[in-house]
Amino acid sequence: MQYPQISARAQRFMLWWGYSLMVVFGLSYGFLIKLIPLNPATDTALQVAAFYRENAASIRIGAVICSWVAAFALPIYVVLAAQCSRLEKGVPVWSMLQFGGGMMMTIFLVLPPLFWGVAAFSPDRAPEITLIMHELANLTLTTTDQYFIFNMVPIAYLALSRRDHPLNPFPRWYGYFVIWGALMFELGAFAFIPRSGPFAWNGLFVFWFPFCIFGVWMTITMIVMLKAIRQQEAMQANGAG
Amino acid sequence: MPAEPADARRIPGEAGIWVLIGGDLSAFSAFFLVFAYYRGFDPALFAASHRQLDHGIGLANTLILLTSSLFVALAVQRVRSGREGAAIWLRLALACGGAFAVLKAVEYAQKLSAGITPLTNDFFMYYFAFTGVHLLHVVIGSGALVFAIGASRQQASAERTMIVECAAIFWHLVDLLWIILFALFYLAGGHG
Amino acid sequence: MDRTDRRLLVRWAFLVSLTFASFESAWGLGWMRNPVVAIAIVIGVALIKVRLVILDFMEVRRAPLALRLALELWVVALAGGILGLWYAAGA
């Protein structure tokens, strides 16, 4: 059977493009915006305003850099969609859902640095106004689980159901790992409820779990995809793919 | 060549599913320990809140899930030995999952209509959050059972057995997580 | 019903009776005078049940030793962790 060929070089380029922008994003978020982890949700308006006043320059520089790099996941999702679509017959609906979910999800990593930059833009405004922008940024970062599910369920489904497909790029355990990741990301939405403890926006389940699992997931995805692309290249060279 | 001994050790389901099981056990362990830790800040509040839970519903749900686990285990035996009836046991287990979800919804509705929400206090925040995440597992487990019912009607094969086993393992996970949630929220509130 | 089925049925009956026993120790009369003992029974029984579900329903009893050992250790560690935190704060 003949499968549509895709360029190994283009895929590799997109993966590294996305991943290196992610590293830049992480560095500017951590060292310039300085909100890893987020400030406690119990801070008063005055404390929040003081934070933005004292760090105004670095937060705004961080926002500039994030304006360039925050949509880093997009090319990675394109490669995933290309790989998934070869596992489907006819119109690749699961791959389309996967890509749509991933594409929308990137927006919620674009918005928080934008909002932090806005908060730091006018250090002398009334503190309550800065506070609401700060809250909007933090809750946008932590609670936006809407699209993950549409991104991750199709990947898990295709990974696990196309067991004997010669082009399946996903190991079995990766499918199960994605299901677990999708479940864990759902915890973030609880940030609307408490101001302290593990479900607050700087807490274990809302901040650290999704933050770490996202990083691990992206890294594992990179490794799995690069390995699959190498194998497919070999198959194409043998005229089998 | 000697036949494989009947008690040969093998990985239940397939290796990959244990990534999911291990990940979930770790996450829920963190839930349980967080609950025990934050109880320490206000044992009296936790004890009083615990007495507001409907422990009859909690007990019923525990028995429902235990029974569903038995049904699923019986189905696995049937699929493995090529006997009839696996799909029936799986459907019964699925019905148990539905009953669990209905009782949970009744319980949530009771709490909300009594003015008890996740915002009431820490105990109820953890109660709604942890049982909510568990309920999500019930939904996913039900999906896995539906998948297994489909597989159980196919021709006997190693793959068919593997699919049913994996769905079963996930369903037992749903059961065992509830056993601990039941003990922590409904039984171990303290009697102060 | 063959032998394996009957064994599963017996296991289930045992789990159900453990459930009632721990329920009784938490809510029934007489048992609850000593909260230190009651919490140990409640958590201990729950994790014994969990262990049996893992071994007999998930069939880990005959899984490779590393998997079985990891899960057995997990059960013990979790019981220790919960009870430790509980007693640290005062039962």
Side-chain angles (χ1 to χ4, degrees), chain B residues 74-86:
Chain B
L74 290 173
V76 168
Q77 293 306 320
R78 269 147 192 77
V79 166
R80 197 177 286 153
S81 59
R83 278 178 291 166
E84 293 287 302

Side-chain angles (χ1 to χ4, degrees), chain B residues 28 56-69 92-109 127 130-142 145 171 173-182 186:
Chain B
F28 271 87
I57 290 186
L59 178 66
N61 265 344
T62 308
L63 297 175
I64 285 172
L65 282 190
L66 275 177
T67 307
S68 72
S69 258
L92 284 172
L94 191 61
C96 287
F100 179 95
V102 168
L103 280 180
K104 207 91 210 85
V106 169
E107 202 185 1
Y108 285 155
Y127 163 77
F130 296 167
T131 59
V133 174
H134 177 266
L135 191 58
L136 188 61
H137 279 70
V138 174
V139 172
I140 294 169
S142 301
L145 288 183
W171 192 260
L173 173 81
V174 169
D175 180 19
L176 82 81
L177 293 175
W178 179 257
I179 289 173
I180 308 177
L181 287 171
F182 175 63
Y186 295 82

